[in-house]
């Protein structure tokens, strides 16, 4: 039949419609095994559908040493406390798990995600065993806190592709937060038999919330119009027991409606938007609502010769956290208590930022400046009542934040070397009802990366970044590291030394109150000169399917628990 051929080969071709990948990224301490971060993911796709899962685990098992320096200014005298701690265990496990189904076709995207977050802190970062010196008296102090939370949630997302480049996006997230904590604090004078009873605080919390959001997008004239609506509804029921017992139930709601128009004219692009926000909460017989206007404007210009400019300004607002609104009191120690404030109101703020950048073959430069003003912000204040110092929150006068930073990227030798320099300056002005505090912070972040074939070497460092809010000044960590690694097509391995040139890692918090100022310092030798190993891989098989990405992402992690820890 085929010209007298001796044999016939019959090929049946079948198009492969499935595939996927398995990937992992694992980091662990070598010289100290108490540091670990692990990520594992897998995906399987067939035709237009895909199912994937992601699991992550972050753990610490270290020792910290804490120091506290406190003043308590009574009407007739002042108490000075100097508290020096012994090395105390800090241990926690943070675990996240996501199971996701996605279907993407010409009609749109359908995505369902089942998430679960589990946090277990048997030894909190505030734990300490220390000796307190007060004049000629010496006390033994113990402060231990155990916390655990469980946060499952279901996220359903749908994107509908309509005719003429129109789109509808829907997202709904239901979340349950179950939280438990147990704190025990004791302060006993050494050599005395008459000591103050221990402070015991136990909390159990349950919170249910649902977040719904919808966005409609369509061309309009030469630009694009976007409108949307978002609503959050939550119910919280927290039980406080121990030295002080109480029960708090609260309903909260927040709604946001917006519309914006975006258009590009040659090198110029602008976005104009307007929105309205409503906040509401009810606690017992007390209820409160507030409306906030939220306009926004963005202007950008791609100038000739690789220059770019962008201005963004907007007004927005925020509600008090559920813990701040709670009508409950928690004892901190024998001198002070922490109390919620149900009379808090939502705050508004105005943000203005300007970005300018320029790039060429060897250098990229970006300059960024931002100013934020909070009107009637929710910030702390300290009161003196019934021989106790009360730490609470109130709507204060105002708060200014100024941030200036620049990013300079230099490529002196093609793609083989990249140098990144990032100096920054922060300025804070905190105007309370009874106080004014200012603070300036100069800092620097930088890195150098060298690549040759499949090898990579890297050095990074950053100075401490400070943050002032109300009367609390937080001084963040200063870090530096050196790393060397090898990258293969399917895996990579990297060795790193964290803080090789210092023997002590530290961070601190200062409270600037006139009535009860304090300074807290936490330091450890187990996060310095630590050698770590990172291994990652990505194994791909079959045909890959590009799943459509979500345009909306919402979640809820606020348990609403008022803590009595220092």
């Amino acid at each position: 039949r085929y010209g007298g051929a001796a044999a016939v080969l019959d090929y049946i071709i079948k198009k492969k419609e499935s595939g996927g990948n398995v990937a992992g990224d694992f980091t662990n301490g070598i010289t100290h095994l108490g540091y670990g971060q692990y990520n594992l993911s897998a995906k399987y796709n067939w035709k237009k559908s895909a199912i994937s899962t992601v699991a992550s685990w972050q753990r610490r098992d270290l020792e910290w040493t804490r120091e506290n320096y406190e003043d308590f200014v009574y009407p007739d005298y002042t108490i000075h406390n100097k508290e020096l701690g012994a090395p105390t265990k800090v241990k926690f496990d943070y675990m996240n798990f996501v199971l996701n189904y996605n279907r993407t076709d010409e009609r749109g995207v359908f995505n369902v995600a089942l998430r679960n977050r589990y946090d277990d802190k048997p030894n909190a970062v505030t734990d300490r065993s220390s000796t307190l010196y007060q004049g000629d008296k010496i006390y033994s102090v113990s402060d231990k806190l155990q916390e655990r939370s469980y946060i499952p949630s279901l996220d359903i997302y749908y994107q509908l592709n309509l005719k003429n480049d129109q789109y509808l996006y829907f997202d709904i997230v239901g979340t349950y937060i179950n939280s438990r904590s147990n704190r025990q604090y004791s302060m006993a004078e050494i050599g005395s038999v008459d000591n103050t009873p221990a402070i015991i605080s136990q909390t159990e919390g349950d919170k249910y919330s649902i977040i719904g959001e919808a966005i409609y997008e369509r061309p309009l004239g030469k630009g694009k119009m976007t409108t949307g609506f978002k609503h959050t509804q939550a119910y919280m029921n927290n039980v406080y027991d121990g030295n002080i017992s109480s029960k708090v139930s609260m309903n909260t709601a927040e709604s946001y409606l917006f519309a914006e128009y975006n258009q590009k004219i040659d090198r110029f692009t602008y976005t104009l938007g307007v929105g309205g926000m409503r906040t509401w909460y009810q606690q017992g017989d007390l209820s409160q609502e507030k409306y906030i206007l939220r306009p926004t404007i963005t202007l950008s210009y791609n100038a000739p010769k690789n220059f770019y400019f962008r201005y963004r300004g907007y007004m927005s607002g925020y509600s008090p956290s559920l813990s701040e609104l709670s009508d409950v009191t928690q004892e901190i120690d024998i001198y002070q208590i922490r109390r919620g404030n149900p009379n808090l109101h939502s705050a508004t703020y105005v943000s203005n930022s300007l970005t300018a950048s320029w790039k060429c073959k060897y250098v990229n430069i970006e300059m960024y400046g931002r100013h934020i003003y909070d009107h009637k912000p929710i910030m702390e204040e300290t009161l003196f009542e019934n021989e106790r110092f009360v730490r609470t929150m109130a709507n204060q006068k105002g708060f200014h934040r100024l941030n200036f930073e620049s990013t300079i990227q230099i490529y002196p030798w093609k793609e083989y070397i990249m140098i990144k320099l990032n100096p920054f300056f922060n300025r804070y002005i905190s105007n309370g009802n009874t106080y004014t505090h200012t603070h300036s912070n100069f800092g620097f972040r930088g890195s150098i990366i060298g690549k040759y074939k499949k090898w990579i070497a890297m050095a990074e460092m950053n100075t401490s970044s400070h943050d002032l809010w109300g009367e609390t000044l937080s001084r963040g960590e200063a870090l530096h590291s050196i790393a060397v690694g090898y990258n293969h097509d399917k895996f990579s391995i990297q060795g790193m030394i964290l803080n090789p040139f210092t023997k002590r890692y530290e961070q601190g918090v200062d409270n600037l109150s006139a009535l009860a100022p304090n300074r807290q310092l936490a330091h450890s030798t187990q996060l310095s000169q630590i050698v770590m190993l990172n291994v990652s891989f990505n194994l791909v098989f079959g045909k890959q399917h590009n799943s459509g990405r979500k345009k909306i992402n919402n979640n809820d992690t606020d348990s609403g628990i008022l803590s009595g820890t220092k």
Side-chain angles (χ1 to χ4, degrees):
R1 291 177 298 172
Y2 297 92
V8 175
L9 299 179
D10 186 9
Y11 289 93
I12 300 176
I13 299 174
K14 183 178 180 181
K15 188 176 180 180
K16 196 169 185 65
E17 295 289 343
S18 63
N21 76 295
V22 178
D25 186 273
F26 309 106
T27 301
N28 206 89
I30 301 300
T31 55
H32 186 80
L33 301 177
Y35 182 104
Q37 294 185 188
Y38 321 102
N39 299 281
L40 183 64
S41 64
K43 177 182 177 181
Y44 180 75
N45 56 261
W46 68 100
K47 296 182 180 180
K48 298 179 181 181
S49 297
I51 186 167
S52 60
T53 181
V54 178
S56 64
W57 176 23
Q58 179 182 356
R59 67 176 187 87
R60 299 290 187 272
D61 189 354
L62 309 166
E63 284 189 343
W64 289 69
T65 300
R66 303 189 67 86
E67 301 175 17
N68 288 326
Y69 303 90
E70 304 172 310
D71 290 338
F72 296 103
V73 183
Y74 290 85
D76 302 324
Y77 61 94
T78 300
I79 292 179
H80 304 281
N81 288 341
K82 177 182 177 182
E83 188 178 340
L84 303 179
T88 306
K89 179 183 282 292
V90 174
K91 183 177 181 180
F92 62 77
D93 294 276
Y94 299 155
M95 288 175 276
N96 285 279
F97 175 78
V98 181
L99 180 62
N100 193 86
Y101 170 77
N102 181 283
R103 178 177 174 83
T104 302
D105 55 28
E106 63 280 356
R107 294 174 298 178
V109 179
F110 175 69
N111 195 98
V112 179
L114 178 62
R115 297 191 291 259
N116 191 12
R117 173 174 169 175
Y118 176 74
D119 293 349
D120 183 22
K121 291 184 279 188
N123 304 98
V125 294
T126 57
D127 282 9
R128 66 192 190 281
S129 299
S130 54
T131 303
L132 187 148
Y133 300 90
Q134 186 184 103
D136 56 355
K137 295 181 179 180
I138 302 177
Y139 297 85
S140 174
V141 174
S142 175
D143 194 353
K144 308 294 182 184
L145 173 66
Q146 296 177 333
E147 292 182 305
R148 183 176 295 175
S149 63
Y150 173 71
I151 310 177
S153 64
L154 179 63
D155 186 340
I156 301 175
Y157 171 85
Y158 183 59
Q159 172 185 326
L160 182 60
N161 300 336
L162 303 174
K163 295 180 180 180
N164 302 320
D165 293 326
Q166 299 181 85
Y167 300 93
L168 273 172
Y169 310 102
F170 302 95
D171 186 56
I172 185 167
V173 182
T175 305
Y176 168 65
I177 301 178
N178 175 267
S179 54
R180 301 288 185 269
S181 69
N182 187 345
R183 178 180 181 243
Q184 295 189 14
Y185 174 88
S186 65
M187 176 178 170
E189 184 178 0
I190 297 177
S192 175
V193 296
D194 185 18
N195 289 310
T196 305
I199 294 174
I200 300 175
S201 301
Q202 297 174 336
T203 62
E204 296 184 6
D206 294 290
K207 179 187 174 185
Y208 305 85
S209 70
I210 188 165
I211 304 172
E213 185 171 1
I215 296 176
Y216 171 62
E217 190 177 284
R218 61 158 297 171
L220 184 63
K222 295 182 179 181
K224 181 177 68 175
M225 172 67 73
T226 304
T227 61
F229 176 75
K230 179 179 178 180
H231 181 75
T232 302
Q233 190 81 35
Y235 169 74
M236 179 191 73
N237 183 40
N238 292 338
V239 177
Y240 297 82
D241 205 353
N243 295 72
I244 299 176
S245 298
S246 61
K247 183 177 180 180
V248 177
S249 296
M250 189 184 305
N251 287 296
T252 64
E254 183 175 296
S255 302
Y256 173 52
L257 178 67
F258 77 94
E260 68 177 30
Y261 181 73
N262 171 272
Q263 184 178 355
K264 182 177 181 181
I265 305 173
D266 295 328
R267 294 177 175 269
F268 177 72
T269 303
Y270 70 91
T271 301
L272 300 175
V274 63
M277 176 180 176
R278 173 186 179 265
T279 63
W280 172 88
Y281 82 90
Q282 181 183 45
Q283 185 176 187
D285 297 330
L286 180 65
S287 65
Q288 184 185 124
E289 70 175 347
K290 185 175 181 178
Y291 294 86
I292 300 172
L293 183 65
R294 294 177 56 175
T296 180
I297 179 173
T298 302
L299 308 173
S300 62
Y301 180 62
N302 282 300
K305 298 184 179 180
N306 297 322
F307 283 96
Y308 173 78
F309 302 93
R310 185 181 69 177
Y311 164 77
R312 176 170 168 78
Y314 63 93
M315 185 171 75
S316 188
Y318 54 91
S319 302
S321 70
L322 298 182
S323 61
E324 293 168 343
L325 284 168
S326 296
D327 186 13
V328 68
T329 298
Q330 290 282 278
E331 289 190 282
I332 300 175
D333 53 30
I334 64 173
Y335 309 102
Q336 52 192 338
I337 60 176
R338 180 166 286 113
R339 187 167 66 197
N341 183 2
N343 296 311
L344 293 173
H345 299 275
S346 298
T348 60
Y349 66 93
V350 179
S351 172
N352 289 278
S353 63
L354 182 64
T355 302
S357 66
W358 174 77
K359 63 181 180 179
C360 67
K361 182 178 180 181
Y362 297 103
V363 179
N364 293 345
I365 300 175
E366 180 176 286
M367 309 293 292
Y368 175 81
R370 186 182 187 187
H371 171 257
I372 303 177
Y373 171 69
D374 294 61
H375 180 65
K376 298 295 183 181
I378 302 162
M379 302 192 301
E380 65 193 298
E381 67 179 19
T382 303
L383 311 172
F384 182 70
E385 296 179 1
N386 302 321
E387 299 301 313
R388 300 290 288 272
F389 295 90
V390 180
R391 308 282 192 180
T392 188
M393 307 296 286
N395 289 95
Q396 308 292 342
K397 292 181 180 179
F399 189 85
H400 293 269
R401 276 168 287 191
L402 286 165
N403 170 239
F404 299 98
E405 61 180 276
S406 61
T407 302
I408 305 170
Q409 292 180 323
I410 305 172
Y411 304 88
W413 188 25
K414 298 181 179 179
E415 73 276 7
Y416 298 113
I417 295 179
M418 186 191 77
I419 301 171
K420 186 175 182 180
L421 309 174
N422 185 205
F424 64 86
F425 170 71
N426 297 318
R427 174 68 174 172
Y428 304 97
I429 304 173
S430 180
N431 292 318
N433 298 325
T434 59
Y435 59 80
T436 296
H437 302 298
T438 62
H439 183 75
S440 298
N441 172 221
F442 290 92
F444 176 81
R445 293 182 290 267
S447 65
I448 179 169
I449 301 175
K451 297 179 181 180
Y452 180 71
K453 294 184 177 179
K454 295 185 178 182
W455 291 91
I456 182 171
M458 178 172 54
E460 295 181 316
M461 66 88 65
N462 65 268
T463 62
S464 174
S465 179
H466 299 177
D467 182 69
L468 175 68
W469 181 250
E471 296 197 282
T472 297
L473 174 64
S474 300
R475 290 173 280 112
E477 58 189 13
L479 297 173
H480 62 279
S481 63
I482 300 174
V484 177
Y486 177 80
N487 295 323
H488 191 267
D489 295 338
K490 296 182 179 180
F491 72 90
S492 67
I493 183 169
Q494 179 176 275
M496 180 174 67
I497 305 177
L498 181 64
N499 294 324
F501 303 116
T502 183
K503 294 184 178 180
R504 190 167 98 160
Y505 165 94
E506 66 177 37
Q507 54 182 263
V509 176
D510 295 343
N511 186 281
L512 309 177
S513 166
L515 288 175
N518 64 60
R519 183 181 186 187
Q520 302 178 20
L521 181 65
H523 52 85
S524 174
T525 60
Q526 295 183 347
L527 282 173
S528 295
Q529 300 177 352
I530 175 175
V531 179
M532 295 187 291
L533 180 67
N534 171 263
V535 177
S536 62
F537 65 89
N538 185 19
L539 306 177
V540 179
F541 59 92
K543 181 184 178 181
Q544 301 302 297
H545 171 66
N546 294 323
S547 301
R549 293 190 176 184
K550 295 175 58 181
K551 302 288 186 179
I552 304 174
N553 291 284
N554 291 304
N555 67 348
D556 183 11
T557 58
D558 180 13
S559 67
I561 295 289
L562 183 71
S563 174
T565 58
K566 288 193 176 184

